[in-house]
Amino acid sequence: MAKGVNKAILLGNVGKDPEIRSTASGTIVASFTLATSDRTKDQTGNWVDQTEWHNLVAFKRTAEIVRDYVKKGSKIYVEGKIQTRSWDDKTSGEKKYRTEILVNELSLLSGRGEGESGGGGYQRSGGSSGYDQRGSQAPADDYANSAEITDDDIPF
Amino acid sequence: MAKGVNKAILLGNVGKDPEIRSTASGTIVASFTLATSDRTKDQTGNWVDQTEWHNLVAFKRTAEIVRDYVKKGSKIYVEGKIQTRSWDDKTSGEKKYRTEILVNELSLLSGRGEGESGGGGYQRSGGSSGYDQRGSQAPADDYANSAEITDDDIPF
Amino acid sequence: MAKGVNKAILLGNVGKDPEIRSTASGTIVASFTLATSDRTKDQTGNWVDQTEWHNLVAFKRTAEIVRDYVKKGSKIYVEGKIQTRSWDDKTSGEKKYRTEILVNELSLLSGRGEGESGGGGYQRSGGSSGYDQRGSQAPADDYANSAEITDDDIPF
Amino acid sequence: MAKGVNKAILLGNVGKDPEIRSTASGTIVASFTLATSDRTKDQTGNWVDQTEWHNLVAFKRTAEIVRDYVKKGSKIYVEGKIQTRSWDDKTSGEKKYRTEILVNELSLLSGRGEGESGGGGYQRSGGSSGYDQRGSQAPADDYANSAEITDDDIPF
DNA sequence: TTTT
DNA sequence: TTTT
């Protein structure tokens, strides 16, 4: 009776190769971004392409599918839950928010081979944090340090 | 052809009486929060009620419906578009993000009279920012100062 | 990869007390109808209320919730899968179709006590087929005789 | 307050080249079928591909997009309204039902050139009624004769 | 009747 | 940062 509905339905293109991590307890986690593009009229009546970026997270079996089949450029359909996590920024002391889509349904729309052009290595190595995704530096670090996903964040 | 899908489907209860404002050009804007509750199992297998808060915005005709019929406690169904706005925090200089649902469909589920218990005054006056809903003070002010909705933010 | 999406999202009022049955193998099945009302403009520009009726089916745990909490008049939100079953009419020999929503998510929106007006008995007895909801008699019988849900129809 | 929700969300492949017609008043109408495929477990626990077929109808601007870009094999995402039309079968005298999805949002997922393999002619000519789509003969004719879409069926 |  |  107290059950609400919290559902996101998205169809778009993946911005970067997904980040794959594991929690302390061994749960696999995939993080990636999705661009949904729209053609809307602006104030002057012109058609403008408008792109919205979404932060997606997937766990367990869904994360494995992401790891194995989703890459930069992939077109996917996704259903998920909208979640906002918050943490206290260590340096500024301010509260920060990050909204993510917890993916629970995923459909691959690019054929095999489509999506990524580079055939070679997926060099997703080094210091790439995977959250440095809006041209912001400090926030990414901050997020990585203060708001890393822990087992407590996982809803199962 | 490049058309993506960006849709949120929410059903829950309104957290506070909506804020009603107008842009410089006279467009009416309604802002409010919605709680969607879920019963999920936690790590230890217990059923836990989990509430997610969403920031909703409505414009024009939809904003008028919100103004006239939606209040604290109202149960509503909503469809909208997920949007993240960003701005530079004036004091800390950091980039901040705020994700909102731009409502384009709304269905009232509380009967008339349901929802609000207090019959008296809707004292939506004074310093009540309507964004002080996560125990955070500064962010609300900050948001009010730095990220006020302007005509440029309105997608039509 | 070949995964499609087939989803119905409905919010409306239940037309009659649900029918509860069991398959030969003991799976509980609930069947009921849902009215979704819309206010659309007709050809002459007048606002007209338009009601669409849907046939819903629920199995197992969801069927138990329907049995225990859903009744005539209940306002509910439902997610499900659109399915069309077909059978050969015994008398006319024609192929017949029936589209149903296989419910997999259900949210009760009427408070307890709301919905049903009659306090007394839920006389869901006798010949009430539960499918006699469009002013048609024969189809209901026909359906009952020729297109009863069998274990083969259940997708799990 | 009496506003319900009636929404279908489908992603799949088009079964045949769409039928394009016009009503007496000149409204363009597109009819086509969509297959949504699912991989579910059957009773014995094996994974089985299950395909559901949907009847889609589009009007006006959406019908033009269908006419110009959608063909047999096209992968599309669609939002629409579930509608059941009924009519009296002339020969058997029985009431018949046909459930359709009235498309109001459409996204093309096949690239240009994808979808159809045959480059040549779209010979959608002759007596093809477009409703002879489930291996049934009489019903199609019947439908064509008794339940043709008229201006009265169009909800605007 | 589609698709992987 | 994606895609058409």
Side-chain angles (χ1 to χ4, degrees):
Chain A
M1 204 134 15
K3 216 172 72 178
V5 176
N6 174 359
K7 186 172 283 285
I9 290 176
L10 305 173
L11 194 161
N13 296 286
V14 171
K16 291 197 172 178
D17 285 340
E19 290 287 309
I20 310 298
R21 290 162 299 142
S22 286
T23 65
S25 65
T27 302
I28 173 169
V29 183
S31 307
F32 54 116
T33 54
L34 189 75
T36 55
S37 298
D38 223 4
R39 203 171 288 273
T40 31
K41 282 197 176 163
D42 67 6
Q43 295 94 315
T44 63
N46 296 30
W47 283 104
V48 192
D49 250 321
Q50 195 191 341
T51 293
E52 198 61 34
W53 284 96
H54 310 269
N55 302 305
L56 310 205
V57 201
F59 295 100
K60 293 159 92 171
R61 179 68 192 124
T62 311
E64 290 172 359
I65 295 173
V66 170
R67 179 195 59 197
D68 296 342
Y69 300 109
V70 174
K71 45 189 197 250
K72 178 178 174 181
S74 297
K75 188 181 277 301
I76 61 172
Y77 168 90
V78 139
E79 283 178 42
K81 191 181 162 184
I82 305 169
Q83 288 190 159
T84 301
R85 296 192 285 134
S86 69
W87 69 97
D88 291 308
D89 183 288
K90 278 180 180 161
T91 43
S92 69
E94 292 180 354
K95 206 164 199 76
K96 296 216 167 166
Y97 301 99
R98 178 182 170 85
T99 299
E100 293 170 321
I101 309 299
L102 196 163
V103 178
N104 46 45
E105 204 77 47
L106 189 152
S107 213
L108 301 160
L109 305 176
S110 315
R112 349 88 279 166
E114 286 185 70
E116 178 76 302
S117 48
Y122 288 54
Q123 61 281 68
R124 214 164 12 182
S125 58
S128 96
S129 80
Y131 287 105
D132 185 5
Q133 250 155 348
R134 282 191 179 93
S136 57
Q137 283 87 345
D141 282 349
D142 176 47
Y143 176 70
N145 293 331
S146 314
E148 192 59 56
I149 294 173
T150 68
D151 285 356
D152 285 347
D153 292 313
I154 299 182
F156 45 78
Chain B
M1 203 135 16
K3 217 172 71 177
V5 176
N6 174 359
K7 186 172 284 282
I9 291 176
L10 304 173
L11 195 160
N13 296 288
V14 172
K16 291 198 174 178
D17 285 341
E19 292 284 311
I20 311 296
R21 290 161 299 143
S22 287
T23 66
S25 65
T27 303
I28 173 169
V29 183
S31 306
F32 54 115
T33 53
L34 189 75
T36 55
S37 298
D38 221 5
R39 203 172 286 272
T40 31
K41 282 198 176 163
D42 66 7
Q43 296 96 313
T44 63
N46 295 31
W47 283 105
V48 193
D49 252 321
Q50 196 191 341
T51 294
E52 196 62 33
W53 284 96
H54 309 269
N55 302 306
L56 310 204
V57 202
F59 295 99
K60 295 159 92 171
R61 179 69 191 122
T62 312
E64 290 172 0
I65 295 172
V66 169
R67 178 195 59 198
D68 296 342
Y69 300 109
V70 173
K71 46 189 197 249
K72 178 179 174 180
S74 297
K75 188 181 279 300
I76 61 173
Y77 167 91
V78 140
E79 284 178 42
K81 190 182 163 183
I82 305 169
Q83 288 191 155
T84 301
R85 296 191 287 133
S86 69
W87 69 98
D88 291 307
D89 183 286
K90 280 178 179 160
T91 44
S92 69
E94 293 181 354
K95 206 165 198 74
K96 295 216 167 168
Y97 302 100
R98 178 182 170 85
T99 299
E100 293 169 321
I101 310 300
L102 195 164
V103 178
N104 45 46
E105 203 78 47
L106 189 152
S107 212
L108 300 160
L109 305 175
S110 317
R112 347 86 283 167
E114 286 185 70
E116 178 76 301
S117 48
Y122 289 53
Q123 61 283 68
R124 213 165 11 182
S125 59
S128 101
S129 78
Y131 289 105
D132 187 4
Q133 223 140 12
R134 285 192 179 90
S136 57
Q137 283 88 342
D141 282 348
D142 177 46
Y143 175 70
N145 293 332
S146 316
E148 193 60 55
I149 295 173
T150 69
D151 284 356
D152 285 348
D153 293 312
I154 299 181
F156 46 77
Chain C
M1 204 136 16
K3 218 173 70 176
V5 176
N6 175 359
K7 188 174 281 284
I9 291 175
L10 304 173
L11 195 161
N13 297 287
V14 172
K16 290 200 174 176
D17 286 339
E19 291 286 310
I20 310 296
R21 290 163 297 144
S22 288
T23 66
S25 65
T27 304
I28 174 169
V29 183
S31 307
F32 54 116
T33 53
L34 188 76
T36 56
S37 298
D38 223 5
R39 203 172 288 272
T40 32
K41 281 197 177 164
D42 66 6
Q43 296 95 313
T44 64
N46 295 32
W47 284 105
V48 192
D49 252 321
Q50 196 190 341
T51 295
E52 196 62 33
W53 284 95
H54 310 269
N55 302 305
L56 310 204
V57 201
F59 296 100
K60 292 158 95 171
R61 180 69 191 121
T62 312
E64 290 172 358
I65 294 173
V66 169
R67 179 195 58 197
D68 296 342
Y69 300 110
V70 174
K71 46 189 195 247
K72 178 180 175 180
S74 297
K75 189 183 277 301
I76 61 172
Y77 168 91
V78 139
E79 284 178 40
K81 190 181 163 185
I82 305 170
Q83 288 190 157
T84 300
R85 295 191 286 134
S86 68
W87 69 98
D88 291 308
D89 182 288
K90 279 179 181 162
T91 44
S92 69
E94 293 181 353
K95 209 169 196 71
K96 297 217 166 168
Y97 302 100
R98 179 181 169 86
T99 298
E100 294 170 319
I101 309 300
L102 197 164
V103 177
N104 46 45
E105 203 78 48
L106 190 152
S107 212
L108 300 160
L109 306 175
S110 316
R112 346 86 281 164
E114 284 185 73
E116 177 76 301
S117 47
Y122 289 53
Q123 60 284 67
R124 215 164 9 184
S125 58
S128 100
S129 79
Y131 290 109
D132 187 4
Q133 222 141 14
R134 283 191 180 94
S136 56
Q137 284 88 342
D141 282 350
D142 178 46
Y143 174 70
N145 294 331
S146 314
E148 192 59 56
I149 295 172
T150 69
D151 285 358
D152 285 348
D153 293 313
I154 299 183
F156 47 77
Chain D
M1 203 134 16
K3 217 174 70 177
V5 176
N6 174 0
K7 187 173 281 286
I9 291 176
L10 304 173
L11 195 160
N13 297 285
V14 171
K16 292 198 172 177
D17 285 340
E19 290 287 309
I20 311 297
R21 290 163 298 143
S22 287
T23 65
S25 65
T27 303
I28 173 170
V29 183
S31 308
F32 54 116
T33 53
L34 189 75
T36 55
S37 298
D38 223 5
R39 203 172 287 273
T40 32
K41 282 197 177 162
D42 66 7
Q43 298 94 316
T44 64
N46 295 32
W47 283 104
V48 191
D49 251 322
Q50 195 190 341
T51 294
E52 197 62 33
W53 285 96
H54 310 269
N55 302 306
L56 310 204
V57 201
F59 295 100
K60 293 159 94 171
R61 180 68 193 123
T62 311
E64 291 173 358
I65 295 172
V66 169
R67 178 194 60 196
D68 296 343
Y69 300 109
V70 174
K71 46 189 195 248
K72 178 180 174 181
S74 297
K75 190 183 275 303
I76 61 172
Y77 168 90
V78 139
E79 284 178 42
K81 190 181 162 184
I82 305 169
Q83 287 190 157
T84 300
R85 296 192 285 134
S86 69
W87 70 96
D88 290 308
D89 182 289
K90 278 179 182 162
T91 44
S92 69
E94 294 181 353
K95 208 167 197 74
K96 296 217 167 166
Y97 301 99
R98 179 182 169 87
T99 299
E100 294 170 319
I101 309 300
L102 197 164
V103 178
N104 45 45
E105 203 78 47
L106 189 151
S107 213
L108 301 159
L109 306 176
S110 315
R112 352 84 281 169
E114 285 185 70
E116 178 74 303
S117 47
Y122 288 52
Q123 59 285 66
R124 215 165 9 181
S125 58
S128 96
S129 79
Y131 287 105
D132 185 4
Q133 248 154 350
R134 282 191 178 95
S136 56
Q137 283 86 343
D141 282 350
D142 177 46
Y143 176 69
N145 293 331
S146 315
E148 192 59 57
I149 295 173
T150 69
D151 285 359
D152 286 347
D153 292 314
I154 300 182
F156 45 78

